[in-house]
Structure formats: structure tokens, C-alpha cells
Amino acid sequence: MKNFMKNKLFFLPFFAFFSAFLCVSCKSVEPSALEAEKKLEEQEKFAAFTQKEYKSISLGEFSDGFSHARYVYKDSIPPYPLYKETMIAGIAENMVYLQNPDGGWAKNQDYQRIFTLEKLKERQENNKKIKPVTYNLLTEPKGSTMDNRNIFSQIRYLAQVYQQIPEKRYGDCALKALQWILNAQEPVTGGFTGADVYAITFNDDVISDVLTFLGEVVEDKKLYSFVDEDIRAKAKKAWEHGLECILKTQITLTLKDGSKILSAWCQQHSYENYAPIWAREFEPPAVSSLESRKIVTFLMSLKNPSEEVKNAVVAACTFFDRPDIRIKGKRLVRNPRKAEVLGGRYYDYEQVLIDDPSARDCWARFYALDSSFDVETGARKPIQGTYPSVLSPIWCDRGCKYVENFNDLSVERRNGYSYTNTSMEKLVSVDFPAWKKRMGL
């Protein structure tokens, strides 16, 4: 018995230590388990909220950004799950969590993507490192920009969500982004900068879309109920300044016979003197049809336009209706080719212009300026080839390389960029006559 008691006493310290160890372990495991349980509960609530269905809100304005986000996948179908258009809370939550600290957003984000709450919080934390952007050019890829129809589209979407789900966070998020836009207007010219070059930017319809949006903020007090009168007054002032910028940048050309005509707009203009300038290395100084079309559409939408606005519309539409501007007997087609990723996009075809006497008229994206313009300074690389004579179509490839014909461009550019369009026909043949009638011209 003595030996047993002796051995028992010997093991007592061990049992005491082991019991203490178990208690400590239990205490360290228990909070971790509770935390995991809490996260799971939060995620379940978040999923239930974000996947609830409401009246759908169109995502059409995000098509450009979504396309860029999904280009790399075959048929642009991403491998991750997407919210339906009726799941507006989930899309709005993505916008709230992915908003940059300065109030804007990086371009080309897929707001339909279904994220876990934990992933969104992680992205939000990482965004805190992103430098703020004002009217200057962004300095990092994830900085805020209105390129690819960004920022004003999110505000408009959040405002519509707010009508169905009056969650204060959505109004606050939209208001912060509106303030970003007001801060982004260059103070002297009234222009706005895109993502590619520090310049007055009409590319991707930046200015025409922003001014259309600001006009809505001023007029639609029901949709933008979270905007106070002080901010609304600032939006009106910004709208007026932006309109002045449009009128000051319209290009006057000297033709071969020495006559002068008021034409349209370049993709980008200088903040110093309003002149057309280079953008990316395949976007030279030129009169641009696509960007000008949206500017003219914006000017036509004004209820009581000034005489200067009317003259700008008439000049631009007359310019694009010129027989020497129209491209006749050509049609853009897609020929199949070996599938590969070019420039970060998946292609199994190549676009070519073919002869077709029955084809609708088309327009080049770019038309040459006259020799009085500086078409060399600002090029990203040494220029190859020859800039064409005034009014001629311009076909410019990556590397600032001019070629004679559309089909001489690289496959990557022919597929990945809109060098031609047929949309000008409606502008000059339908919209313009209807506008003139409405104006009594």
C-alpha cells in the first residue's frame, strides 16, 4: 500500500500538468471554433441577402468592362458563378466593397461575380493601398478611372438599387463616387481624363457620358434623392464647364483646295491648347467617327441648345455625310482561324474587310487631319509609315505603325479594336434630320 501511495503521489504532478494542458488547449480551440462558426453564419446571411431576387436592373452599361474582364475565357464565359440580373443586392454589395478609398473604382471589374463575404473584405482591405486619383492620369492599374464607361455607371446603378432597397450604404457609396467625378474635372478646361493619356478624353465616350450623367443628377431629384442641393449645384456647374470644353475642341480642317470646314472631334485633346493629340500607340491625332457620334448625340439631347451648339451639330453631321468620308462597297467579316490568346483575349477568327457592292456604307474610326496639325509629337514609339493626306482613313497598328489598308493591320488589332463602323448612317440619315425638324432648322 505504501508503494501504491508513493507511485500515486509520483503521478499527481503529471496528471495536474496534463489537466492544465487540456484546459489551455480547450480555451485556445474554443474561440477559434466560435470564430469559424460566426464567419459561417455571416456568410450564410450574406448569401441569403445577396441572392434574393428583386426587379432586375439592366447591366448593359457595364458590357464594356465585363467584356474586358471575360475576354480571356473561351466565348467570354467565365469559370466562376454569376449573379442574375435580378440579384441586385449582390451586385450592389460588390460595388460597395470594391470601391476605392478615393470614391472611384478600377475599370473592368466583373460586378456579377459571386464572391464570398470574406473575399470581398479581403479585396476591400487590399484596396486601402491604392493611391487616390483626381483629374490627373492614374498611376496604377487598380486606380479609379472613367475609362470603359466606369464610375458614373456604378452610381446610376446604385441609385436604382436604392429605390428598391433603401440601404443607406448604397446612397453613401454613390455619393462618394459622385464627389470623385466632381473632383476629376480638370479645373481650367472642364475636361475629364481617361486611363490612357493625360488629356481631354472623348475616347470610350468619357466626357459625353459623364455630362449626360451629371445632367441626370441635376434634373432627376427622385432617382438621386441622396444628393443634396449643394452637390447638385456643383454638378450643374461641372456640366456647363464640360459643355464649353466640347465646343472649344471641335476641329477645323483646311482641305486641299484651301477651304476650311468645321468637322468633329479627336479621341483626345490637349489640356494646354485643345489640339488633337496621340492617345495609345494605335490611336493617332485624327477626326474620330465613333467618339464624335456620341458627342453629337449628347448635343442633340439638349432641350434648349445655344446657336453655338446647333452649329456644332450641323457641322459634324455634314462632315460625316460627305461622300469622300463614306467607305462604299466594303463589308467586315470574320474568317475562322486557329484558336489562340492574342493581347489577353481569346480568338478563333480574324476580321477582314472584303469587297461587297451591296454592303452598307461604313466609316473609318479615324480620318486624317491637315498638315497644319502636329501629328508626331506625343507618339509612344518612333512612327513607322506615313500619315495620310487630309480626310483619308487612317489605319494605325500597335507601335505607331501606319499601314495602307485595314487588312494590313495585325490580326490582334483587327480583332481587338473597332477601326470601322456602320453606326454613323443612323446619325446622319435618321437622327440628324429628326433633330433639325425639332429645332425648326
Side-chain angles (χ1 to χ4, degrees), residues 137-315:
L137 191 65
L138 60 84
T139 55
E140 54 183 301
K142 293 183 180 179
S144 302
T145 177
M146 288 182 288
D147 194 36
N148 291 348
R149 294 158 187 85
N150 201 38
I151 299 181
F152 51 85
S153 296
Q154 286 94 317
I155 301 172
R156 191 181 281 132
Y157 187 89
L158 286 166
Q160 293 176 81
V161 173
Y162 191 72
Q163 298 292 303
Q164 296 188 58
I165 311 172
E167 168 65 54
K168 186 176 182 294
R169 292 165 60 246
Y170 300 156
D172 290 346
C173 180
L175 197 59
K176 188 177 180 182
L178 173 56
Q179 188 60 59
W180 185 94
I181 288 179
L182 296 176
N183 293 339
Q185 187 172 42
E186 200 275 330
V188 177
T189 65
F192 291 88
T193 305
D196 302 316
V197 62
Y198 177 57
I200 298 166
T201 302
F202 296 115
N203 200 4
D204 285 330
D205 307 325
V206 166
I207 292 180
S208 52
D209 279 346
V210 170
L211 296 189
T212 298
F213 162 73
L214 289 175
E216 291 173 9
V217 171
V218 173
E219 297 291 333
D220 197 338
K221 295 184 180 182
K222 181 181 178 183
L223 180 59
Y224 298 99
S225 59
F226 49 82
V227 178
D228 64 34
E229 289 306 309
D230 179 55
I231 296 295
R232 193 168 274 114
K234 289 178 180 178
K236 188 175 188 296
K237 188 176 179 181
W239 184 93
E240 291 168 347
H241 203 185
L243 178 59
E244 290 173 10
C245 181
I246 288 177
L247 297 174
K248 286 180 179 179
T249 47
Q250 193 167 10
I251 301 165
T252 297
L253 292 176
T254 303
L255 304 185
K256 292 177 182 178
D257 63 3
S259 62
K260 293 182 182 293
I261 60 168
L262 187 61
S263 61
W265 292 265
C266 184
Q267 288 183 327
Q268 272 94 1
H269 291 252
S270 168
Y271 276 125
E272 294 180 4
N273 57 14
Y274 298 99
I277 61 173
W278 277 91
R280 290 172 290 186
E281 60 187 57
F282 49 89
E283 296 173 323
V287 180
S288 175
S289 62
L290 275 183
E291 282 72 21
S292 295
R293 175 175 62 87
K294 193 62 181 284
I295 295 169
V296 173
T297 301
F298 164 72
L299 295 177
M300 284 179 173
S301 73
L302 305 187
K303 292 177 182 176
N304 298 299
S306 65
E307 288 302 311
E308 194 175 3
V309 167
K310 291 177 184 177
N311 291 338
V313 171
V314 170

Side-chain angles (χ1 to χ4, degrees), residues 381-440:
K381 294 182 179 180
I383 294 169
Q384 303 176 60
T386 304
Y387 188 89
S389 59
V390 65
L391 298 188
S392 299
I394 300 175
W395 313 111
C396 187
D397 211 328
R398 288 194 187 275
C400 305
K401 180 182 179 183
Y402 296 116
V403 297
E404 291 293 320
N405 301 293
F406 173 84
N407 294 341
D408 296 330
L409 295 163
S410 63
V411 173
E412 184 270 332
R413 282 296 76 196
R414 275 183 278 139
N415 286 358
Y417 194 68
S418 299
Y419 285 91
T420 66
N421 73 90
T422 58
S423 62
M424 303 302 291
E425 185 66 63
K426 182 176 181 295
L427 177 71
V428 299
S429 301
V430 179
D431 299 341
F432 182 45
W435 175 83
K436 282 197 295 183
K437 184 177 180 181
R438 195 168 71 248
M439 293 293 112

